[in-house]
Amino acid sequence: MKKIKILFVCLGNICRSPAAQGVMQRLVDERGLGKQFEIDSAGTYSGHRGQLPDPRMRRHASRRSYNLTHRARPIDYSDFDYFDVIVAMDESNRRNLMRMAGCPAHERKIVMMGDYIVKLRAHYDYVPDPYYEGAEGFELVLDLLEDACSNLLNRFSTTN
Ligand code: 4NP
């Protein structure tokens, strides 16, 4: 069976997208789907290359038993060929990705994380940048990611 490869993308690849990767990887593992999915993350900005996720994100995630060990990396043009689904956390990420996409086939791989937010939809249709926020901002991101990842996984594990 061909693996479905999902890439989560935010700006710095130190807060939202590595957390999304951790949340999704745990869901995939819990559902015994490890052989069917490959999960990764990247940023549109390269300034944090090689760094572990922001200590605040790691702390909040660890309270929910996520161990975030991804090392930040900038998205590369080759990612548009390699991955099947490229998930933007907000509209600014989506615009940057659309600028990088080389053809309509690549553009069609870009989806919005907000489209998979269901429980918290009345309040958010994107995943807000927590970098300049306090603890509540990081908790909110994790709440949104847990909501959206579950729906995203349902979407891609039922039709493939
Ligand atoms: P992320 O958060 O895009 O969720 O990783 C940010 C990380 C770094 C910066 C902004 C947002 N920054 O300005 O360095």
mmCIF file of all heavy atoms in Angstrom, residues 123-152:
data_model
loop_
_atom_site.group_PDB
_atom_site.id
_atom_site.type_symbol
_atom_site.label_atom_id
_atom_site.label_comp_id
_atom_site.label_asym_id
_atom_site.label_seq_id
_atom_site.Cartn_x
_atom_site.Cartn_y
_atom_site.Cartn_z
ATOM 1 N N HIS A 123 -15.055 29.629 16.923
ATOM 2 C CA HIS A 123 -14.081 30.622 17.398
ATOM 3 C C HIS A 123 -12.889 30.789 16.458
ATOM 4 O O HIS A 123 -12.364 31.884 16.316
ATOM 5 C CB HIS A 123 -13.577 30.221 18.779
ATOM 6 C CG HIS A 123 -14.674 29.978 19.756
ATOM 7 N ND1 HIS A 123 -15.408 31.004 20.300
ATOM 8 C CD2 HIS A 123 -15.210 28.829 20.224
ATOM 9 C CE1 HIS A 123 -16.334 30.500 21.098
ATOM 10 N NE2 HIS A 123 -16.236 29.176 21.052
ATOM 11 N N TYR A 124 -12.466 29.682 15.814
ATOM 12 C CA TYR A 124 -11.255 29.754 14.981
ATOM 13 C C TYR A 124 -11.407 28.957 13.697
ATOM 14 O O TYR A 124 -11.880 27.814 13.734
ATOM 15 C CB TYR A 124 -10.032 29.198 15.745
ATOM 16 C CG TYR A 124 -9.573 30.143 16.812
ATOM 17 C CD1 TYR A 124 -10.045 30.028 18.099
ATOM 18 C CD2 TYR A 124 -8.710 31.191 16.493
ATOM 19 C CE1 TYR A 124 -9.657 30.934 19.074
ATOM 20 C CE2 TYR A 124 -8.322 32.095 17.450
ATOM 21 C CZ TYR A 124 -8.800 31.963 18.747
ATOM 22 O OH TYR A 124 -8.410 32.861 19.693
ATOM 23 N N ASP A 125 -10.976 29.557 12.584
ATOM 24 C CA ASP A 125 -10.897 28.778 11.336
ATOM 25 C C ASP A 125 -9.458 28.784 10.818
ATOM 26 O O ASP A 125 -9.210 28.616 9.640
ATOM 27 C CB ASP A 125 -11.892 29.279 10.282
ATOM 28 C CG ASP A 125 -11.635 30.713 9.883
ATOM 29 O OD1 ASP A 125 -10.677 31.321 10.404
ATOM 30 O OD2 ASP A 125 -12.391 31.223 9.035
ATOM 31 N N TYR A 126 -8.505 28.966 11.720
ATOM 32 C CA TYR A 126 -7.083 28.861 11.408
ATOM 33 C C TYR A 126 -6.365 28.610 12.733
ATOM 34 O O TYR A 126 -6.994 28.690 13.803
ATOM 35 C CB TYR A 126 -6.564 30.150 10.738
ATOM 36 C CG TYR A 126 -6.551 31.346 11.644
ATOM 37 C CD1 TYR A 126 -5.368 31.796 12.213
ATOM 38 C CD2 TYR A 126 -7.728 32.012 11.958
ATOM 39 C CE1 TYR A 126 -5.352 32.892 13.059
ATOM 40 C CE2 TYR A 126 -7.723 33.102 12.817
ATOM 41 C CZ TYR A 126 -6.541 33.539 13.356
ATOM 42 O OH TYR A 126 -6.523 34.603 14.217
ATOM 43 N N VAL A 127 -5.067 28.292 12.664
ATOM 44 C CA VAL A 127 -4.301 28.057 13.894
ATOM 45 C C VAL A 127 -3.421 29.286 14.138
ATOM 46 O O VAL A 127 -2.452 29.516 13.403
ATOM 47 C CB VAL A 127 -3.441 26.775 13.786
ATOM 48 C CG1 VAL A 127 -2.731 26.507 15.119
ATOM 49 C CG2 VAL A 127 -4.300 25.579 13.390
ATOM 50 N N PRO A 128 -3.760 30.107 15.140
ATOM 51 C CA PRO A 128 -3.049 31.371 15.343
ATOM 52 C C PRO A 128 -1.627 31.184 15.863
ATOM 53 O O PRO A 128 -1.358 30.265 16.647
ATOM 54 C CB PRO A 128 -3.923 32.111 16.362
ATOM 55 C CG PRO A 128 -4.681 31.047 17.072
ATOM 56 C CD PRO A 128 -4.859 29.905 16.113
ATOM 57 N N ASP A 129 -0.757 32.065 15.419
ATOM 58 C CA ASP A 129 0.649 32.051 15.823
ATOM 59 C C ASP A 129 0.750 32.343 17.329
ATOM 60 O O ASP A 129 0.339 33.412 17.779
ATOM 61 C CB ASP A 129 1.354 33.149 15.007
ATOM 62 C CG ASP A 129 2.835 33.214 15.274
ATOM 63 O OD1 ASP A 129 3.305 32.528 16.204
ATOM 64 O OD2 ASP A 129 3.514 33.953 14.550
ATOM 65 N N PRO A 130 1.316 31.421 18.114
ATOM 66 C CA PRO A 130 1.385 31.641 19.570
ATOM 67 C C PRO A 130 2.669 32.340 20.025
ATOM 68 O O PRO A 130 2.833 32.615 21.204
ATOM 69 C CB PRO A 130 1.370 30.205 20.112
ATOM 70 C CG PRO A 130 2.168 29.446 19.090
ATOM 71 C CD PRO A 130 1.846 30.085 17.748
ATOM 72 N N TYR A 131 3.575 32.630 19.071
ATOM 73 C CA TYR A 131 4.947 33.027 19.422
ATOM 74 C C TYR A 131 4.997 34.218 20.376
ATOM 75 O O TYR A 131 5.813 34.257 21.286
ATOM 76 C CB TYR A 131 5.730 33.334 18.145
ATOM 77 C CG TYR A 131 7.232 33.379 18.325
ATOM 78 C CD1 TYR A 131 7.950 32.229 18.636
ATOM 79 C CD2 TYR A 131 7.924 34.573 18.180
ATOM 80 C CE1 TYR A 131 9.326 32.269 18.788
ATOM 81 C CE2 TYR A 131 9.303 34.620 18.334
ATOM 82 C CZ TYR A 131 10.002 33.468 18.630
ATOM 83 O OH TYR A 131 11.363 33.512 18.789
ATOM 84 N N TYR A 132 4.108 35.205 20.166
ATOM 85 C CA TYR A 132 4.129 36.393 21.020
ATOM 86 C C TYR A 132 3.016 36.358 22.062
ATOM 87 O O TYR A 132 2.670 37.387 22.643
ATOM 88 C CB TYR A 132 4.049 37.664 20.161
ATOM 89 C CG TYR A 132 5.248 37.797 19.251
ATOM 90 C CD1 TYR A 132 5.150 37.516 17.894
ATOM 91 C CD2 TYR A 132 6.493 38.170 19.768
ATOM 92 C CE1 TYR A 132 6.261 37.596 17.059
ATOM 93 C CE2 TYR A 132 7.610 38.249 18.939
ATOM 94 C CZ TYR A 132 7.483 37.964 17.592
ATOM 95 O OH TYR A 132 8.582 38.036 16.778
ATOM 96 N N GLU A 133 2.450 35.178 22.271
ATOM 97 C CA GLU A 133 1.342 35.027 23.224
ATOM 98 C C GLU A 133 1.838 34.391 24.525
ATOM 99 O O GLU A 133 2.969 33.926 24.606
ATOM 100 C CB GLU A 133 0.245 34.134 22.620
ATOM 101 C CG GLU A 133 -0.305 34.628 21.296
ATOM 102 C CD GLU A 133 -1.014 35.967 21.411
ATOM 103 O OE1 GLU A 133 -1.628 36.227 22.468
ATOM 104 O OE2 GLU A 133 -0.945 36.752 20.451
ATOM 105 N N GLY A 134 0.950 34.344 25.501
ATOM 106 C CA GLY A 134 1.260 33.688 26.766
ATOM 107 C C GLY A 134 0.857 32.222 26.727
ATOM 108 O O GLY A 134 0.581 31.663 25.649
ATOM 109 N N ALA A 135 0.784 31.635 27.923
ATOM 110 C CA ALA A 135 0.477 30.209 28.047
ATOM 111 C C ALA A 135 -0.830 29.834 27.354
ATOM 112 O O ALA A 135 -0.929 28.772 26.724
ATOM 113 C CB ALA A 135 0.403 29.829 29.521
ATOM 114 N N GLU A 136 -1.840 30.731 27.443
ATOM 115 C CA GLU A 136 -3.155 30.399 26.840
ATOM 116 C C GLU A 136 -3.024 30.201 25.338
ATOM 117 O O GLU A 136 -3.743 29.391 24.751
ATOM 118 C CB GLU A 136 -4.226 31.479 27.077
ATOM 119 C CG GLU A 136 -4.035 32.401 28.246
ATOM 120 C CD GLU A 136 -2.888 33.382 28.033
ATOM 121 O OE1 GLU A 136 -2.896 34.156 27.052
ATOM 122 O OE2 GLU A 136 -1.959 33.346 28.856
ATOM 123 N N GLY A 137 -2.109 30.948 24.712
ATOM 124 C CA GLY A 137 -1.920 30.827 23.263
ATOM 125 C C GLY A 137 -1.416 29.443 22.871
ATOM 126 O O GLY A 137 -1.843 28.878 21.860
ATOM 127 N N PHE A 138 -0.546 28.895 23.691
ATOM 128 C CA PHE A 138 -0.004 27.561 23.401
ATOM 129 C C PHE A 138 -1.042 26.473 23.669
ATOM 130 O O PHE A 138 -1.147 25.505 22.931
ATOM 131 C CB PHE A 138 1.288 27.336 24.201
ATOM 132 C CG PHE A 138 2.441 28.139 23.652
ATOM 133 C CD1 PHE A 138 2.649 29.459 24.036
ATOM 134 C CD2 PHE A 138 3.290 27.585 22.702
ATOM 135 C CE1 PHE A 138 3.680 30.212 23.494
ATOM 136 C CE2 PHE A 138 4.329 28.330 22.156
ATOM 137 C CZ PHE A 138 4.521 29.647 22.551
ATOM 138 N N GLU A 139 -1.816 26.663 24.749
ATOM 139 C CA GLU A 139 -2.890 25.700 25.040
ATOM 140 C C GLU A 139 -3.941 25.724 23.935
ATOM 141 O O GLU A 139 -4.436 24.680 23.502
ATOM 142 C CB GLU A 139 -3.542 26.033 26.396
ATOM 143 C CG GLU A 139 -2.677 25.675 27.581
ATOM 144 C CD GLU A 139 -2.384 24.177 27.670
ATOM 145 O OE1 GLU A 139 -3.318 23.372 27.554
ATOM 146 O OE2 GLU A 139 -1.201 23.825 27.847
ATOM 147 N N LEU A 140 -4.265 26.934 23.463
ATOM 148 C CA LEU A 140 -5.245 27.056 22.379
ATOM 149 C C LEU A 140 -4.755 26.330 21.128
ATOM 150 O O LEU A 140 -5.503 25.592 20.487
ATOM 151 C CB LEU A 140 -5.495 28.538 22.054
ATOM 152 C CG LEU A 140 -6.310 28.818 20.796
ATOM 153 C CD1 LEU A 140 -7.737 28.286 20.946
ATOM 154 C CD2 LEU A 140 -6.320 30.321 20.478
ATOM 155 N N VAL A 141 -3.484 26.530 20.777
ATOM 156 C CA VAL A 141 -2.926 25.847 19.598
ATOM 157 C C VAL A 141 -3.073 24.336 19.743
ATOM 158 O O VAL A 141 -3.528 23.655 18.818
ATOM 159 C CB VAL A 141 -1.448 26.241 19.375
ATOM 160 C CG1 VAL A 141 -0.760 25.287 18.396
ATOM 161 C CG2 VAL A 141 -1.351 27.676 18.873
ATOM 162 N N LEU A 142 -2.746 23.804 20.914
ATOM 163 C CA LEU A 142 -2.847 22.351 21.108
ATOM 164 C C LEU A 142 -4.305 21.885 21.026
ATOM 165 O O LEU A 142 -4.591 20.837 20.444
ATOM 166 C CB LEU A 142 -2.209 21.952 22.439
ATOM 167 C CG LEU A 142 -0.673 22.042 22.436
ATOM 168 C CD1 LEU A 142 -0.117 21.994 23.855
ATOM 169 C CD2 LEU A 142 -0.059 20.923 21.576
ATOM 170 N N ASP A 143 -5.226 22.666 21.582
ATOM 171 C CA ASP A 143 -6.664 22.312 21.484
ATOM 172 C C ASP A 143 -7.089 22.272 20.014
ATOM 173 O O ASP A 143 -7.781 21.349 19.581
ATOM 174 C CB ASP A 143 -7.528 23.347 22.217
ATOM 175 C CG ASP A 143 -7.403 23.250 23.727
ATOM 176 O OD1 ASP A 143 -6.927 22.213 24.236
ATOM 177 O OD2 ASP A 143 -7.774 24.237 24.399
ATOM 178 N N LEU A 144 -6.676 23.285 19.251
ATOM 179 C CA LEU A 144 -7.057 23.348 17.828
ATOM 180 C C LEU A 144 -6.426 22.196 17.047
ATOM 181 O O LEU A 144 -7.068 21.581 16.187
ATOM 182 C CB LEU A 144 -6.626 24.695 17.225
ATOM 183 C CG LEU A 144 -7.382 25.928 17.732
ATOM 184 C CD1 LEU A 144 -6.670 27.211 17.295
ATOM 185 C CD2 LEU A 144 -8.823 25.934 17.229
ATOM 186 N N LEU A 145 -5.163 21.891 17.351
ATOM 187 C CA LEU A 145 -4.472 20.827 16.617
ATOM 188 C C LEU A 145 -5.082 19.461 16.918
ATOM 189 O O LEU A 145 -5.211 18.620 16.021
ATOM 190 C CB LEU A 145 -2.975 20.822 16.958
ATOM 191 C CG LEU A 145 -2.179 22.059 16.533
ATOM 192 C CD1 LEU A 145 -0.723 21.926 16.986
ATOM 193 C CD2 LEU A 145 -2.253 22.295 15.031
ATOM 194 N N GLU A 146 -5.457 19.226 18.175
ATOM 195 C CA GLU A 146 -6.062 17.920 18.518
ATOM 196 C C GLU A 146 -7.404 17.758 17.811
ATOM 197 O O GLU A 146 -7.738 16.674 17.321
ATOM 198 C CB GLU A 146 -6.203 17.785 20.038
ATOM 199 C CG GLU A 146 -4.847 17.565 20.701
ATOM 200 C CD GLU A 146 -4.911 17.451 22.219
ATOM 201 O OE1 GLU A 146 -5.902 17.940 22.820
ATOM 202 O OE2 GLU A 146 -3.963 16.889 22.802
ATOM 203 N N ASP A 147 -8.163 18.844 17.754
ATOM 204 C CA ASP A 147 -9.449 18.850 17.042
ATOM 205 C C ASP A 147 -9.207 18.560 15.553
ATOM 206 O O ASP A 147 -9.742 17.605 14.982
ATOM 207 C CB ASP A 147 -10.082 20.239 17.264
ATOM 208 C CG ASP A 147 -11.442 20.432 16.624
ATOM 209 O OD1 ASP A 147 -11.919 19.532 15.915
ATOM 210 O OD2 ASP A 147 -12.027 21.518 16.825
ATOM 211 N N ALA A 148 -8.349 19.346 14.925
ATOM 212 C CA ALA A 148 -8.159 19.259 13.471
ATOM 213 C C ALA A 148 -7.465 17.965 13.036
ATOM 214 O O ALA A 148 -7.838 17.374 12.015
ATOM 215 C CB ALA A 148 -7.361 20.472 12.980
ATOM 216 N N CYS A 149 -6.464 17.518 13.774
ATOM 217 C CA CYS A 149 -5.720 16.315 13.351
ATOM 218 C C CYS A 149 -6.628 15.093 13.316
ATOM 219 O O CYS A 149 -6.525 14.264 12.404
ATOM 220 C CB CYS A 149 -4.532 16.048 14.276
ATOM 221 S SG CYS A 149 -3.106 17.072 13.903
ATOM 222 N N SER A 150 -7.513 14.986 14.283
ATOM 223 C CA SER A 150 -8.424 13.849 14.313
ATOM 224 C C SER A 150 -9.300 13.841 13.049
ATOM 225 O O SER A 150 -9.487 12.795 12.407
ATOM 226 C CB SER A 150 -9.269 13.966 15.584
ATOM 227 O OG SER A 150 -10.319 13.079 15.536
ATOM 228 N N ASN A 151 -9.799 14.993 12.660
ATOM 229 C CA ASN A 151 -10.663 15.078 11.465
ATOM 230 C C ASN A 151 -9.865 14.893 10.177
ATOM 231 O O ASN A 151 -10.343 14.289 9.214
ATOM 232 C CB ASN A 151 -11.402 16.418 11.459
ATOM 233 C CG ASN A 151 -12.261 16.566 12.704
ATOM 234 O OD1 ASN A 151 -12.994 15.644 13.058
ATOM 235 N ND2 ASN A 151 -12.146 17.692 13.385
ATOM 236 N N LEU A 152 -8.644 15.418 10.177
ATOM 237 C CA LEU A 152 -7.772 15.256 9.005
ATOM 238 C C LEU A 152 -7.446 13.767 8.795
ATOM 239 O O LEU A 152 -7.492 13.253 7.669
ATOM 240 C CB LEU A 152 -6.490 16.056 9.244
ATOM 241 C CG LEU A 152 -5.493 16.229 8.117
ATOM 242 C CD1 LEU A 152 -6.080 17.014 6.959
ATOM 243 C CD2 LEU A 152 -4.249 16.972 8.632
#
